[in-house]
Every structure is written in C-alpha cells, then in structure tokens.
Amino acid sequence: MGEAVIFLGPPGAGKGTQASRLAVELGFKKLSTGDILRDHVARGTPLGQQVKPIMDRGDLVPDELILALIREELAERVIFDGFPRTLAQAEALDQLLGETGTRLLGVVLVEVPEEELIARMLKRAELEGRSDDNEETIRHRLRVYREKTEPLVQYYEKTGALRRVDGLGTPDEVYARIRASLGI
Ligand code: ADP
C-alpha cells in the first residue's frame, strides 16, 4: 500500500526545502509541480511554452494540465509539494489516492506571516532570479493563494489530515516540527 504526504502553504513558506529533506530522509519521491513546470519552461517543450506566460503572471496553470503531470509522475511513496492548489485538484487527488490504494499520512500546512513571505521571496529573487519573484507578481501569487488554495485548509481540516506547523525559525527547527506533527 502506497503512502503520501502533502505540503500546503503560501508561496515563500519554505515548503520546497522542507519537502526535499523529508523526501530524502524517508525515501519518498518529491513531486513538485512548480519544479516540473519550470523544467518544461527551461527545456522549451510545448507544455513549457504554454505555461510560461501563466507562471510569469503568477496565475495558476489549468487543473487538467497539472493532473496529467501528476498521473505521469505518481509513485508508491510520494511527497506532494505545491499540489493540490485548488479544490478541483484536491478532489481529483482524493480519487487518485483511493484508486491506487495510497494512504495520506498527513497534510502539512507551513504557516508564515505575509510580511515575512514577501521578504523571503524578494531575497530569493536576488539570489535565484526566478522570473515570477518580483514584487508585483509576488503580491499576485499571494492573492491567488488566499483565493484558490487557502480553502484547502478547511477541506483537510474536516478530514482530520491537516497538521499546522509554524514556519518561522531555522530550517532545522521547522523540519523537526514537521516530523513531530506527522509522527514519523
Ligand atoms: P511558489 O513558490 O510560488 O509556491 P511553485 O514553484 O510551487 O511556487 O509554483 C510556481 C508556479 O507554477 C505557480 O505560480 C503556478 O503558476 C504554477 N503551478 C505550480 N503548481 C501548480 C498547481 N498545482 N496548479 C496550478 N499551477 C501550479
């Protein structure tokens, strides 16, 4: 029987860093839709060409495209980073986990105040030069998060899967909280 963990939280919360470490230490595959899409953009694939303008604006890529990627990349033990991001994606994932007999170990919500998120992303913009890390796009991505993704907090609270984790502190501190919250 498969196992899955979901990382939920606003852009800049540090989900990617934490998800990578957890994946390595537990021997899970990390499935980051943002990374997969950026890779398509970098290679100039047809999908990459289609999604680049959407990502540069800070909008969400259509659910069907995301779900096709997820079906392709699904593994027996998987950590989702940046997915699901809409209620439709969450419902589709529930179905997929059911079909494949995969148990959801928990949904980790990494919580960080908005001013700190903006500061972190502006810093990342300087260091990495991600084309969607400028102030206007950052504010738009935060709005999109509040509107489209935040409803998933309630969704997973209802099923009892939600684990709230304080995302402030050193990466090691946050990581320890995540492991404790999942009991793994
Ligand atoms: P962030 O650090 O802003 O959370 P990600 O690397 O997870 O960013 O995603 C970057 C961009 O990729 C998003 O702004 C969106 O355009 C697209 N994207 C990633 N995952 C999804 C998803 N599950 N559904 C729709 N769009 C997505």
Side-chain angles (χ1 to χ4, degrees):
M1 181 158 158
E3 293 180 327
V5 174
I6 294 172
F7 273 77
L8 190 63
K15 300 182 299 287
T17 309
Q18 299 293 341
S20 294
R21 181 164 172 194
L22 193 66
V24 169
E25 291 190 14
L26 296 183
F28 278 46
K29 172 176 180 177
K30 183 181 95 155
L31 218 168
S32 161
T33 43
D35 286 350
I36 296 170
L37 293 171
R38 271 187 293 279
D39 180 59
H40 276 276
V41 172
R43 289 187 287 122
T45 67
L47 174 64
Q49 291 177 28
Q50 187 180 351
V51 301
K52 186 178 190 315
I54 303 175
M55 293 176 74
D56 283 347
R57 285 198 304 272
D59 283 325
L60 293 184
V61 169
D63 290 333
E64 313 80 68
L65 295 181
I66 298 291
L67 290 166
L69 285 180
I70 291 290
R71 278 191 208 99
E72 234 170 73
E73 301 279 338
L74 199 67
E76 181 73 7
R77 309 179 82 205
V78 61
I79 294 182
F80 295 105
D81 163 31
F83 171 87
R85 246 182 169 88
T86 62
L87 274 173
Q89 289 179 16
E91 285 164 359
L93 178 61
D94 273 350
Q95 192 176 340
L96 198 60
L97 296 180
E99 281 168 11
T100 54
T102 305
R103 195 160 65 95
L104 186 57
L105 301 182
V107 178
V108 178
L109 174 66
V110 184
E111 298 186 293
V112 173
E114 185 141 335
E115 318 78 68
E116 172 70 13
L117 294 173
I118 293 171
R120 285 185 188 180
M121 283 189 277
L122 287 174
K123 193 168 155 203
R124 183 169 72 184
E126 273 175 34
L127 298 174
E128 295 175 19
R130 245 176 70 168
S131 59
D132 60 349
D133 272 349
N134 60 76
E135 185 151 6
E136 198 191 321
T137 312
I138 288 169
R139 291 193 185 279
H140 184 65
R141 275 153 59 205
L142 284 169
R143 273 199 301 278
V144 170
Y145 173 78
R146 302 279 176 235
E147 191 182 317
K148 303 264 171 58
T149 309
E150 208 158 54
L152 299 188
V153 173
Q154 271 200 356
Y155 181 88
Y156 288 119
E157 214 157 33
K158 275 189 195 144
T159 67
L162 195 75
R163 310 280 181 268
R164 286 179 187 270
V165 171
D166 177 4
L168 287 180
T170 66
D172 282 350
E173 285 164 351
V174 177
Y175 184 71
R177 288 177 202 137
I178 290 170
R179 294 221 41 172
S181 80
L182 290 167
I184 49 180

